[in-house]
Structure formats: C-alpha cells, structure tokens
Amino acid sequence: MAEVLIDLNGVHRIYGDFEALKGVSLEVERGQIFGYLGPNGSGKTTTIKLILGLISPSSGKVHILGEDPYPDDDKAMDTRRHIGSMLEFNGLYENLTGLQNLVFWAELYGMNGQKAHEQAKILMDAVNLWEWNDVPVVKYSYGMHKRLALARALVSDPDILVLDEPTAGVDPESRYLIRNMMKDLADQGKTIFFSSHDLEEVQKVCSHIALLKKGKLISKGTLKDVISHFGRSRLFVRLKSPAYADLWAQEIRHIGRDIKVEGPLVSFYPENDFDTSRLSEKSILDTWKVDSSLEEVYLNLVADKNVNEKVET
C-alpha cells in the first residue's frame, strides 16, 4: 500500500467572515509530484500554510507524515523538519555568498560546521552553482536565485518538498534544471507539492493534480485521468482542396462544435457519440485527433459557472 505523506480530510479554513477553504480533502503519496492549481484567491496559499504547519484548520483534519503538525511540541516540530519549502520569500541573504547561505541554513537544522559545509557544497553542485559559490547572492540572476532557493529547501533532506511557482520567470537553463531535479527527487521517494500557474510545466512534471476554485476542489486525480475526463479531443480533417473544405464544413454543422477552416484543413470538436467512420468520403485525404492540453481543461473548468462542487476522477 502506498504511503500517504500529505492527508487533508474535510478541511475548512475561515478568516473572519471569509471561508478560504471549503471542505478540501486530498491525499498525496510518497514519490508523487502533485500539481495544485487554481486562480488567484482560490485557496492555494492557505493550503500551503496548512501543510507547512504555519496555520491550523478551522475544522477538518490535516496529517503530515501521519502526524498532526500543529501542536507546539517537539513531535510536531520534528514533523515540520521533514518539510522543505520554496516560496515567494526565498529565505536567502543577499549579502552572503551562495555557499554561506546554505551553510547557515544547514547549521540551523543542527548540522555541525564540517557537515553543514559538506551538505552545502553538494547542493551548490546539484543546482549547477558551484562556480558561483563564493559570489554574494546579490549578484545572482533571478534564475540563479531560484536554483539556490531550491537548494536551500533541500538542506535538511526533507521527505516533502513544497514548491510555489518554482519556475516562474526563470531562464530556460534554470527551468530545465529545476524540472529535472523535481523528477529525480520524486524518483528518490520524495513527495513534491507543486503550486504553479505555468500549466505547460505542470503537465510536463506532475503525476497527479488537483484544481481548486473559490476554496473548493473541482477535480483531482492523475494528470492523465483529469485531462481524459474533462478534456475534449479536437478532430482535424484534411480535404483535397479549400473548396471541398468550405463545403464539408457546412455539412458537418450538426455534428461538430467550434468548426474552423484553414485552407484545405477543417477542425472541430465532434459530438460525444460521433463515429469517425462517418468521414469516409473521397474528398478526405487524412484525419487525426489532438487531445486537450491541461491548459484547455483548466480554463474550461475554472470558467464553468456550473462547476461548484468537488468532482472526483
């Protein structure tokens, strides 16, 4: 049986008269890269604060590594030590060098000077910053800041890594490095809770996702299942000439939606019961389908005014 490292069960969080989370339930297992998606104000930051033990739920249960992370005691503190985070505030000191930053954080986690230095050196190398190890962080580029922040999050060798927009605005090299590190860390058994608006990046790295809207989960499951369940495949048909395409587009108005004609190419969203064998006519040269992207599914779900309740996939 898979080990659940993050477990939220019927969680509500209220700030005064505002209910930020409305009965959120989700499980994140060891080794998963879990994408947590939603518009601004949907409750993502509140969820992250709950996982990090910074706030407690108004009702419902949260267990991290099987423990309650909220009591102010040694057991809860030990649980929190197993969580690394990379948030908007990156915890870096600009006047210190990259290496000094990591040594500082390693010592905060109780490592002695030699071990702290060794751990810092390993992580500087892992994020491809060793040649900058003695340079003050104030001279780092934005992408280098992000890579160093990821290294800082890994100082304690955590079981859970919480990443908030880790690749936003970074250069292609840093994006590639961070993406591959996430995959490698998951392969090593670490659980990654990944919040981002970069849906293309989420689709490349996440095994599971959840979509949040106004404090409620509207979908959760494997990436593949969510796209399959809520996505629509667009059908492309290439005809012998633009003239055939124009005529054919008129004929399929009753079986297709969002019909587009570009030269000899016609594309549309077919009805659910549409049978592609109905396309076997001499004017057609080729047909193919293109599945929905995560971005299309996400935009359709968050824009749908009828989606108010949690949907399981």
Side-chain angles (χ1 to χ4, degrees):
M1 182 179 294
E3 181 184 4
V4 176
L5 270 59
I6 301 173
D7 185 7
L8 278 65
N9 187 0
V11 171
H12 293 254
R13 175 64 194 188
I14 300 172
Y15 299 96
D17 296 329
F18 176 66
E19 190 172 16
L21 293 179
K22 305 171 183 178
V24 170
S25 296
L26 58 86
E27 294 181 350
V28 186
E29 298 175 357
R30 183 178 291 281
Q32 286 182 353
I33 304 179
F34 192 96
Y36 199 57
L37 315 176
N40 290 333
S42 60
K44 300 191 302 298
T45 299
T46 295
T47 306
I48 287 173
K49 289 180 178 179
L50 287 166
I51 293 171
L52 296 177
L54 299 176
I55 59 173
S56 57
S58 301
S59 63
K61 297 290 184 182
V62 176
H63 287 96
I64 305 298
L65 295 162
E67 302 290 342
D68 181 347
Y70 305 115
D72 189 17
D73 57 28
D74 290 343
K75 191 172 185 180
M77 289 296 292
D78 185 60
T79 297
R80 292 177 215 168
R81 288 176 182 272
H82 291 274
I83 309 172
S85 63
M86 179 180 170
L87 309 178
E88 184 177 0
F89 171 70
N90 57 32
L92 302 175
Y93 294 91
E94 299 280 299
N95 60 316
L96 299 180
T97 68
L99 187 65
Q100 288 171 336
N101 265 278
L102 297 188
V103 169
F104 169 78
W105 281 99
E107 290 177 340
L108 280 184
Y109 278 100
M111 299 180 199
N112 62 36
Q114 181 178 352
K115 186 173 182 181
H117 191 276
E118 290 173 354
Q119 179 74 337
K121 184 177 179 180
I122 290 171
L123 290 171
M124 286 291 290
D125 187 58
V127 296
N128 200 24
L129 287 175
W130 179 247
E131 63 181 296
W132 292 78
N133 77 90
D134 59 351
V135 176
V137 171
V138 70
K139 296 184 179 180
Y140 281 23
S141 69
Y142 184 72
M144 292 164 66
H145 271 83
K146 285 281 193 177
R147 284 186 270 157
L148 187 63
L150 178 57
R152 183 202 59 76
L154 292 168
V155 160
S156 65
D157 192 24
D159 291 290
I160 298 170
L161 198 58
V162 178
L163 307 179
D164 187 16
E165 300 288 356
T167 59
V170 303
D171 57 278
E173 179 190 358
S174 295
R175 180 186 298 269
Y176 180 78
L177 185 144
I178 292 171
R179 180 196 309 153
N180 286 340
M181 281 193 70
M182 290 170 63
K183 292 178 179 179
D184 290 343
L185 290 165
D187 288 341
Q188 295 167 23
K190 297 190 184 300
T191 294
I192 299 175
F193 192 85
F194 176 29
S195 176
S196 178
H197 289 106
D198 188 341
L199 301 179
E200 182 179 355
E201 197 70 14
V202 169
Q203 189 164 358
K204 288 179 179 177
V205 300
C206 290
S207 56
H208 294 68
I209 61 171
L211 276 66
L212 197 67
K213 179 181 179 181
K214 295 182 179 178
K216 288 186 177 183
L217 284 182
I218 57 175
S219 178
K220 65 181 180 181
T222 67
L223 176 69
K224 181 179 179 180
D225 286 347
V226 170
I227 292 177
S228 174
H229 189 79
F230 296 103
R232 299 180 298 174
S233 295
R234 190 170 187 87
L235 185 62
F236 289 79
V237 181
R238 189 181 303 279
L239 293 109
K240 289 183 177 180
S241 72
Y244 279 116
D246 288 332
L247 290 172
W248 198 77
Q250 293 296 319
E251 294 176 2
I252 64 167
R253 284 178 297 175
H254 63 292
I255 61 170
R257 290 169 291 145
D258 190 23
I259 300 171
K260 295 181 180 179
V261 180
E262 299 176 76
L265 187 67
V266 178
S267 68
F268 63 99
Y269 290 115
E271 294 177 345
N272 290 334
D273 59 351
F274 181 77
D275 183 357
T276 55
S277 65
R278 295 164 67 179
L279 301 181
S280 56
E281 58 177 83
K282 294 180 180 179
S283 60
I284 295 174
L285 296 178
D286 195 12
T287 64
W288 67 92
K289 283 185 178 181
V290 176
D291 293 332
S292 294
S293 67
L294 176 59
E295 181 177 9
E296 291 172 313
V297 171
Y298 171 86
L299 292 174
N300 288 335
L301 282 172
V302 299
D304 189 347
K305 295 180 180 180
N306 296 317
V307 177
N308 295 313
E309 300 298 328
K310 180 175 65 178
V311 179
E312 303 276 355
T313 63

